[in-house]
Amino acid sequence: VVLTQSPGTLSLSPGERATLSCRASQPVSNYLTWYQQKPGQAPRLLIYDTSKRASGVPPRFSGSGSGTDFTLTISSLEPEDVAIYYCQQRSGWLIFGGGTKVEI
Amino acid sequence: QVHLVQSGPEVKKPGASVKVSCTASGYTFTDNQMHWVRQAPGQGLDWMGRITPDTGGTSAAKKFEGRITMTRDTSINKAYMELKWLTSDDTAVYYCARAHWFGELSLDFWGQGTLVTVSS
């Protein structure tokens, strides 16, 4: 199973809506996890079980999807959202997508 | 609060081994799997394997089988990852991360990372 994230890089202005895609090569689970990795930091859990925000995650972040197509949406981009976002599923082992870099 | 603190940076020669430690605090160490994930410079996340601290059982990604050993010491809440026969391709930041089963498994807390540099 391969997780393909698109776009590779997303360049937006503050306040704009960001839509990040994660597509699985075959259905694995209706659950997907998203992580946020800011420059020079370890990844941080952002969204689990497709749509549930982890503790402390602002409500501008939301997740959706099922089957093979999943989406992370940032409703109104803030400067502190500059990061690489990774999706992840489990198929016996853990699989990560290649990441989407969000720039301002 | 949950904390995972990893050992410091390492510089190794090709063919050598490296052992990275991860000290857990703020929760019952044996309640959660510990996973190891690495990230080569400028690259994405690469799952290496996991250990179940309660039993010591391990599972590794095929690409690391035979080269990786994951152990734990429950008396001091430490997990270890040893990687043998290092090459320059193993230069990366290595992370430990705690697994949590929500509806599905996610990595909810991460160590700060350990940079391993392999160079002659």
PDB file of all heavy atoms in Angstrom, chain B residues 52-67:
ATOM      1  N   THR B  52       6.714  -3.979  21.814  1.00  0.00           N
ATOM      2  CA  THR B  52       5.668  -3.986  22.834  1.00  0.00           C
ATOM      3  C   THR B  52       6.371  -4.135  24.173  1.00  0.00           C
ATOM      4  O   THR B  52       6.855  -5.225  24.492  1.00  0.00           O
ATOM      5  CB  THR B  52       4.691  -5.153  22.595  1.00  0.00           C
ATOM      6  OG1 THR B  52       4.120  -4.995  21.288  1.00  0.00           O
ATOM      7  CG2 THR B  52       3.580  -5.154  23.626  1.00  0.00           C
ATOM      8  N   PRO B  53       6.475  -3.066  24.957  1.00  0.00           N
ATOM      9  CA  PRO B  53       7.276  -3.133  26.180  1.00  0.00           C
ATOM     10  C   PRO B  53       6.807  -4.191  27.176  1.00  0.00           C
ATOM     11  O   PRO B  53       7.617  -4.754  27.906  1.00  0.00           O
ATOM     12  CB  PRO B  53       7.127  -1.726  26.771  1.00  0.00           C
ATOM     13  CG  PRO B  53       6.881  -0.855  25.595  1.00  0.00           C
ATOM     14  CD  PRO B  53       6.028  -1.695  24.680  1.00  0.00           C
ATOM     15  N   ASP B  54       5.536  -4.476  27.190  1.00  0.00           N
ATOM     16  CA  ASP B  54       5.002  -5.446  28.145  1.00  0.00           C
ATOM     17  C   ASP B  54       5.616  -6.830  27.928  1.00  0.00           C
ATOM     18  O   ASP B  54       6.055  -7.489  28.874  1.00  0.00           O
ATOM     19  CB  ASP B  54       3.481  -5.497  27.973  1.00  0.00           C
ATOM     20  CG  ASP B  54       2.823  -6.343  29.034  1.00  0.00           C
ATOM     21  OD1 ASP B  54       3.380  -6.467  30.143  1.00  0.00           O
ATOM     22  OD2 ASP B  54       1.734  -6.905  28.759  1.00  0.00           O
ATOM     23  N   THR B  55       5.677  -7.248  26.664  1.00  0.00           N
ATOM     24  CA  THR B  55       6.149  -8.602  26.346  1.00  0.00           C
ATOM     25  C   THR B  55       7.548  -8.634  25.774  1.00  0.00           C
ATOM     26  O   THR B  55       8.190  -9.684  25.745  1.00  0.00           O
ATOM     27  CB  THR B  55       5.204  -9.246  25.319  1.00  0.00           C
ATOM     28  OG1 THR B  55       5.261  -8.474  24.104  1.00  0.00           O
ATOM     29  CG2 THR B  55       3.771  -9.275  25.835  1.00  0.00           C
ATOM     30  N   GLY B  56       8.011  -7.502  25.264  1.00  0.00           N
ATOM     31  CA  GLY B  56       9.286  -7.469  24.552  1.00  0.00           C
ATOM     32  C   GLY B  56       9.163  -7.884  23.097  1.00  0.00           C
ATOM     33  O   GLY B  56      10.154  -7.900  22.372  1.00  0.00           O
ATOM     34  N   GLY B  57       7.953  -8.202  22.659  1.00  0.00           N
ATOM     35  CA  GLY B  57       7.766  -8.599  21.276  1.00  0.00           C
ATOM     36  C   GLY B  57       8.049  -7.460  20.314  1.00  0.00           C
ATOM     37  O   GLY B  57       7.785  -6.295  20.623  1.00  0.00           O
ATOM     38  N   THR B  58       8.622  -7.786  19.157  1.00  0.00           N
ATOM     39  CA  THR B  58       8.992  -6.762  18.186  1.00  0.00           C
ATOM     40  C   THR B  58       8.489  -7.111  16.798  1.00  0.00           C
ATOM     41  O   THR B  58       8.206  -8.277  16.486  1.00  0.00           O
ATOM     42  CB  THR B  58      10.517  -6.578  18.122  1.00  0.00           C
ATOM     43  OG1 THR B  58      11.121  -7.808  17.709  1.00  0.00           O
ATOM     44  CG2 THR B  58      11.095  -6.159  19.459  1.00  0.00           C
ATOM     45  N   SER B  59       8.382  -6.083  15.972  1.00  0.00           N
ATOM     46  CA  SER B  59       8.070  -6.245  14.562  1.00  0.00           C
ATOM     47  C   SER B  59       8.833  -5.171  13.811  1.00  0.00           C
ATOM     48  O   SER B  59       8.814  -4.008  14.220  1.00  0.00           O
ATOM     49  CB  SER B  59       6.561  -6.094  14.333  1.00  0.00           C
ATOM     50  OG  SER B  59       6.265  -6.194  12.964  1.00  0.00           O
ATOM     51  N   ALA B  60       9.521  -5.568  12.734  1.00  0.00           N
ATOM     52  CA  ALA B  60      10.341  -4.604  12.008  1.00  0.00           C
ATOM     53  C   ALA B  60       9.927  -4.549  10.548  1.00  0.00           C
ATOM     54  O   ALA B  60       9.434  -5.535   9.987  1.00  0.00           O
ATOM     55  CB  ALA B  60      11.815  -4.987  12.111  1.00  0.00           C
ATOM     56  N   ALA B  61      10.142  -3.401   9.946  1.00  0.00           N
ATOM     57  CA  ALA B  61       9.919  -3.265   8.512  1.00  0.00           C
ATOM     58  C   ALA B  61      10.882  -4.196   7.783  1.00  0.00           C
ATOM     59  O   ALA B  61      12.031  -4.397   8.218  1.00  0.00           O
ATOM     60  CB  ALA B  61      10.144  -1.823   8.083  1.00  0.00           C
ATOM     61  N   LYS B  62      10.419  -4.759   6.679  1.00  0.00           N
ATOM     62  CA  LYS B  62      11.221  -5.749   5.947  1.00  0.00           C
ATOM     63  C   LYS B  62      12.594  -5.215   5.592  1.00  0.00           C
ATOM     64  O   LYS B  62      13.582  -5.951   5.644  1.00  0.00           O
ATOM     65  CB  LYS B  62      10.476  -6.173   4.688  1.00  0.00           C
ATOM     66  CG  LYS B  62       9.337  -7.117   4.962  1.00  0.00           C
ATOM     67  CD  LYS B  62       8.932  -7.868   3.712  1.00  0.00           C
ATOM     68  CE  LYS B  62       7.765  -8.807   3.895  1.00  0.00           C
ATOM     69  NZ  LYS B  62       7.606  -9.406   5.196  1.00  0.00           N
ATOM     70  N   LYS B  63      12.679  -3.942   5.252  1.00  0.00           N
ATOM     71  CA  LYS B  63      13.954  -3.408   4.806  1.00  0.00           C
ATOM     72  C   LYS B  63      14.991  -3.372   5.921  1.00  0.00           C
ATOM     73  O   LYS B  63      16.185  -3.268   5.636  1.00  0.00           O
ATOM     74  CB  LYS B  63      13.761  -2.003   4.217  1.00  0.00           C
ATOM     75  CG  LYS B  63      13.299  -0.965   5.197  1.00  0.00           C
ATOM     76  CD  LYS B  63      12.902   0.344   4.508  1.00  0.00           C
ATOM     77  CE  LYS B  63      14.055   1.141   4.011  1.00  0.00           C
ATOM     78  NZ  LYS B  63      13.661   2.479   3.517  1.00  0.00           N
ATOM     79  N   PHE B  64      14.559  -3.475   7.171  1.00  0.00           N
ATOM     80  CA  PHE B  64      15.494  -3.440   8.282  1.00  0.00           C
ATOM     81  C   PHE B  64      15.676  -4.796   8.961  1.00  0.00           C
ATOM     82  O   PHE B  64      16.505  -4.930   9.861  1.00  0.00           O
ATOM     83  CB  PHE B  64      15.029  -2.420   9.332  1.00  0.00           C
ATOM     84  CG  PHE B  64      14.979  -1.014   8.817  1.00  0.00           C
ATOM     85  CD1 PHE B  64      13.766  -0.372   8.601  1.00  0.00           C
ATOM     86  CD2 PHE B  64      16.139  -0.328   8.518  1.00  0.00           C
ATOM     87  CE1 PHE B  64      13.708   0.910   8.097  1.00  0.00           C
ATOM     88  CE2 PHE B  64      16.105   0.977   8.028  1.00  0.00           C
ATOM     89  CZ  PHE B  64      14.881   1.592   7.811  1.00  0.00           C
ATOM     90  N   GLU B  65      14.892  -5.777   8.538  1.00  0.00           N
ATOM     91  CA  GLU B  65      14.985  -7.092   9.178  1.00  0.00           C
ATOM     92  C   GLU B  65      16.396  -7.640   9.071  1.00  0.00           C
ATOM     93  O   GLU B  65      17.028  -7.577   8.010  1.00  0.00           O
ATOM     94  CB  GLU B  65      13.984  -8.058   8.537  1.00  0.00           C
ATOM     95  CG  GLU B  65      12.571  -7.893   9.054  1.00  0.00           C
ATOM     96  CD  GLU B  65      11.584  -8.846   8.404  1.00  0.00           C
ATOM     97  OE1 GLU B  65      11.971  -9.582   7.477  1.00  0.00           O
ATOM     98  OE2 GLU B  65      10.423  -8.857   8.833  1.00  0.00           O
ATOM     99  N   GLY B  66      16.877  -8.161  10.198  1.00  0.00           N
ATOM    100  CA  GLY B  66      18.235  -8.692  10.236  1.00  0.00           C
ATOM    101  C   GLY B  66      19.273  -7.664  10.633  1.00  0.00           C
ATOM    102  O   GLY B  66      20.406  -8.013  10.972  1.00  0.00           O
ATOM    103  N   ARG B  67      18.888  -6.398  10.584  1.00  0.00           N
ATOM    104  CA  ARG B  67      19.832  -5.321  10.869  1.00  0.00           C
ATOM    105  C   ARG B  67      19.423  -4.508  12.094  1.00  0.00           C
ATOM    106  O   ARG B  67      20.247  -3.783  12.645  1.00  0.00           O
ATOM    107  CB  ARG B  67      19.905  -4.386   9.652  1.00  0.00           C
ATOM    108  CG  ARG B  67      21.288  -3.939   9.322  1.00  0.00           C
ATOM    109  CD  ARG B  67      21.430  -3.341   7.947  1.00  0.00           C
ATOM    110  NE  ARG B  67      20.521  -2.318   7.535  1.00  0.00           N
ATOM    111  CZ  ARG B  67      20.780  -1.015   7.624  1.00  0.00           C
ATOM    112  NH1 ARG B  67      21.897  -0.591   8.178  1.00  0.00           N
ATOM    113  NH2 ARG B  67      19.897  -0.127   7.160  1.00  0.00           N
TER     114      ARG B  67
END
